[in-house]
Amino acid sequence: ELLFNLRGAEKYGLMKHVRLVWIVVSTTNFRQFGPPKGLNMSHPKVRLIDTDSFVGTRDQGGIDHQGVGYLAKTGSLHRIPEMGEWILLLHDDLLPTSEFSVDYLYDKVLKKPILYMNLDPYIMGWCDSGKPTAMHGPWFVNKCRLAEVERRYPARFAKVRLGNNRDADPRCLYD
């Protein structure tokens, strides 16, 4: 799926807007299976990072809770070293199939990202009375804004990283 995703992104023009591609892998899976097969890890735009490098899943006693689920990853993207100011999160099973335009993500008139609300019928975790967002669709997120959301709800973000995946929905809180 990952290779098809990247090929589609290149074929349909998304890659010309991308500085770096971060391949986020579960540390457990990485140790067991190694890096994704067929991926050119020497490509200058490709970076592979395992979740232990940025999620921080160990509690104060040093116990690893392997909080590497979807919510732990999305709530930790801003912690990835060298991550750009703007992040476009694409899941490995989202396959680009038509020409890409920045207009899908950013409103040039209003000068702000476009939010696609109420596309999914559920919220994955606590959201402080927020509304559902497109949980499995592309997510255009600002690194500083995501860090600010974590500063607003530090205890909830910490619990999500320790595998308590219903304590917060970082994407919903951000949007």
Side-chain angles (χ1 to χ4, degrees), residues 135-151:
M135 297 307 288
H136 204 69
W139 188 34
F140 191 47
V141 57
N142 180 272
K143 179 180 179 176
C144 293
R145 167 82 171 111
L146 186 56
E148 177 58 34
V149 172
E150 179 175 8
R151 282 191 290 277

Side-chain angles (χ1 to χ4, degrees), residues 8-83:
E10 186 171 40
K11 178 179 180 178
Y12 295 111
L14 173 59
M15 293 305 291
K16 65 183 173 187
H17 302 280
V18 174
R19 182 177 61 89
L20 290 175
V21 174
W22 291 91
I23 308 297
V24 178
V25 296
S26 155
T27 300
T28 303
N29 289 341
F30 182 71
R31 287 182 185 142
Q32 185 173 357
F33 303 110
K37 306 297 182 243
L39 195 60
N40 179 4
M41 293 311 303
S42 64
H43 192 286
K45 282 190 169 186
V46 175
R47 303 287 188 278
L48 181 71
I49 188 165
D50 65 283
T51 50
D52 278 0
S53 301
F54 70 99
V55 173
T57 61
R58 296 189 183 275
D59 66 18
Q60 292 176 343
I63 298 171
D64 188 352
H65 294 271
Q66 298 184 4
V68 295
Y70 169 79
L71 297 176
K73 290 175 190 172
T74 57
S76 302
L77 292 172
H78 60 289
R79 295 174 158 215
I80 296 175
E82 298 180 56
M83 179 61 74

